[in-house]
């Protein structure tokens, strides 16, 4: 039985629901030798500001139970170098490219979005209003309903590309932020970014990360992320992209059944850069086993009540 | 292009001081490896530890026909992952991703090669030594440790005609003191017209000292760096080190793809 893995993300049709998570896949080209980037639903590249950024001093990661903390600090080459140096190869490969857009001001989000709107081959913009590791911008918009609305509506006016605000879990009610993003004209929302967290070296009594705090990712956060995706998908009509500790097809299915239209994989790609083919095969075999012809039919198919 | 293979443990030789030499069968990976490259080893199939750990390829193992059939890892038991490798029994399997990273540049005669190793920093030199010998390069190994238990596996070097100079901090073997002492003495003694290439791998303070000594004596150096590494593929940006840029500034470079071997004069120690 042939199964259909394609999903519709607002105006965007994806080959599969499997996407790389921003910040976990470089600019995509780093993996071009190992993975057929065109076989992914989308390649979501590392967050870009207008200008280059240095990021935080090392140590930038520390491993924790079933997870890791990172405080990279959005090191990056800036949107102009990305367009010049990375996009040609991504276009040649035929990858569906979603760019993660960062800003310290609303104006910067708009400016970066305009540059990318004029770039051939960019399929959508993911708005990073949720990075826990930088002081200014970013999460300050994502932790405030008015700020979220302001960034999303400003970018909405500046581009005709699909826009996908990426939401932080570091709020009391993430669904209200999904609703604010929808109201401001978002085509989809992605969640969750990492959980603000900390690890301490008891011998030296110092934080293990140079930045003090960092973002927790990996299997440890998965059940919380599934719950948050479930809550958001019940509130908004736009598609939800599920992110958080996905390391197997079963993990991805959990998010789809909870209401995600697509998923992003981050930390698990560090452990296994060849994970993409395994995830796709796992989804296919699940659909065949359950007699479901389209993966889209699974979205939000959670059975509640007694069986 | 790296491959990810499930390598089978053929033997695990424990050495004093918590060290072990783990021999793995992995022909696909071994046949691609060059001196100075590394592999990312997954010590567990569960989530503890979750991330892979970088290991230099120690020996290349060859079959009867001389084809690369596997490799060894020089492991020191420190945390959970290295503990699992230390305890591993023959028949155990570990996923190994590699070979990764930029290898050493091979010197050619009349250049002499001086390899400087600290502790498990010996690892990349076991494949560099035969590669240099094959090119007819005269080689010396400066090998340092805290104590005599940190000095081992000299049998990898002597058959290739490598001259070995040992230093231990407690003086239990070789010269007393850090390995940079005999290195400095040798740099002072060698005439400027005799070209020397310095290779180093070991703890960061040692690498910094070797890089500075090389610069002071006007000798080129290549340093193999070890950093907290998340992926080994350039995806996570965690293993960065500050390097000089041509315009006089600096930037963070990923040691996994721009290294692990970097020129001593490009690294800017923080």
């Amino acid at each position: 039985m042939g199964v259909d893995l394609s999903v519709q993300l607002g105006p965007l049709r994806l080959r599969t629901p499997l996407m790389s998570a921003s910040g976990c896949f470089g600019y995509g080209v780093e993996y071009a030798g190992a993975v057929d980037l065109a076989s992914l639903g989308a390649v979501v590249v590392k967050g870009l500001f207008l200008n280059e950024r240095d990021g935080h001093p090392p140590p930038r990661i520390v491993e924790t139970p079933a997870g890791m903390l990172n405080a990279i600090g959005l090191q990056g080459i800036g949107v102009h170098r990305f367009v010049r140096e990375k996009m040609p190869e991504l276009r040649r490969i035929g990858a569906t490219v979603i760019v993660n857009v960062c800003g310290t001001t609303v104006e910067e989000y708009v400016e970066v979005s305009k540059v990318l709107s004029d770039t051939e081959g960019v399929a959508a913009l993911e708005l990073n209003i949720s990075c826990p590791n930088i002081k200014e911008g970013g999460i300050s918009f994502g932790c405030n309903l008015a700020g979220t609305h302001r960034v999303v509506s400003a970018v909405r006016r500046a581009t005709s590309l699909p826009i996908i605000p990426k939401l932080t879990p570091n709020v009391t009610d993430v669904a209200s932020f999904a609703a604010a993003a929808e109201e401001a004209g978002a085509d989809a929302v992605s969640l969750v970014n990492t959980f603000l967290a900390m690890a301490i070296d008891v011998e030296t009594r110092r934080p293990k990360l140079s930045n003090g705090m960092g973002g927790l990712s990996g299997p440890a956060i998965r059940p919380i992320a599934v719950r948050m995706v479930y809550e958001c998908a019940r509130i908004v009509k736009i598609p939800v992209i599920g992110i958080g500790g996905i390391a197997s097809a079963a993990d991805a299915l959990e998010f789809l059944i909870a209401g995600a239209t697509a998923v992003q994989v981050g930390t698990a790609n560090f452990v296994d850069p060849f994970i993409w083919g395994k995830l796709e095969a796992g989804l296919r075999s699940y659909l065949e086993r359950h007699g479901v012809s389209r993966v889209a039919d699974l979205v939000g198919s959670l059975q509640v009540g007694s069986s | 292009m790296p491959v990810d293979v499930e390598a089978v443990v053929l033997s695990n030789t424990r050495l004093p001081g918590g060290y072990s030499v783990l021999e793995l069968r992995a022909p696909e990976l071994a046949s691609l490896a060059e001196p100075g490259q590394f592999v990312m080893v997954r010590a567990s199939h569960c989530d503890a530890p979750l991330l892979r750990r970088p290991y230099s390829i120690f020996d290349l193992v060859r079959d009867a026909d001389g084809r690369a059939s596997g490799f060894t890892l020089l492991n020191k038991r420190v945390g959970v992952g290295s503990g699992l490798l230390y305890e591993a029994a023959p028949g155990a399997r570990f996923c190994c991703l590699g070979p990764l990273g930029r290898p050493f540049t091979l010197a050619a005669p009349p250049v002499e090669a001086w390899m400087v190793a600290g502790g498990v920093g010996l690892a990349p030199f076991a494949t560099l030594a035969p590669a240099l010998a094959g090119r007819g390069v005269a080689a010396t190994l400066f090998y340092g440790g805290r104590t005599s238990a940190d000095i081992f596996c000299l049998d990898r070097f002597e058959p290739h005609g490598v001259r070995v100079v040992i230093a231990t901090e407690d003086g239990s073997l070789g010269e007393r003191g850090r390995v940079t002492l005999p290195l400095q003495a040798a740099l002072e003694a060698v005439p400027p017209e005799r070209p020397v290439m310095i290779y180093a791998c070991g703890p960061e303070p040692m690498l910094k000292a070797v890089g500075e000594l090389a610069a002071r004596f006007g000798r080129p150096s290549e340093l193999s760096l070890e950093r907290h590494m998340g992926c080994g593929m350039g995806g996570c940006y965690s293993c960065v080190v500050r390097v000089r840029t041509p315009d006089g500034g600096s930037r963070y470079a990923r040691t996994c793809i721009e290294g692990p071997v970097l020129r001593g004069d490009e690294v800017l120690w923080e």
Side-chain angles (χ1 to χ4, degrees), chain A residues 252-270:
Chain A
L253 286 159
E254 246 194 286
F255 281 90
L256 297 174
I257 292 164
T261 299
V263 295
Q264 294 181 4
V265 178
T267 304
N269 170 69
F270 296 156

Side-chain angles (χ1 to χ4, degrees), chain B residues 31 44 56 62 76 80 128 142 154 210 243 245 250 258 260:
Chain B
S31 62
S44 162
S56 286
R62 297 186 183 278
K76 183 171 189 184
V80 179
L128 182 62
F142 298 85
L154 295 174
V210 172
V243 297
T245 51
S250 68
E258 294 191 54

Side-chain angles (χ1 to χ4, degrees), chain B residues 5-6 10 21 35 37 68 74 88 90 99 108 111 134 145 150 170-171 173 190 213 222 227 233 236 245 267:
Chain B
V5 297
E6 210 175 36
L10 297 180
V21 177
Q37 289 193 297
L74 181 53
V111 179
D150 297 320
D170 66 358
L173 196 64
V190 68
L213 274 176
E222 287 192 349
R227 293 254 142 179
M233 298 279 290
C236 73
T245 51
V267 179

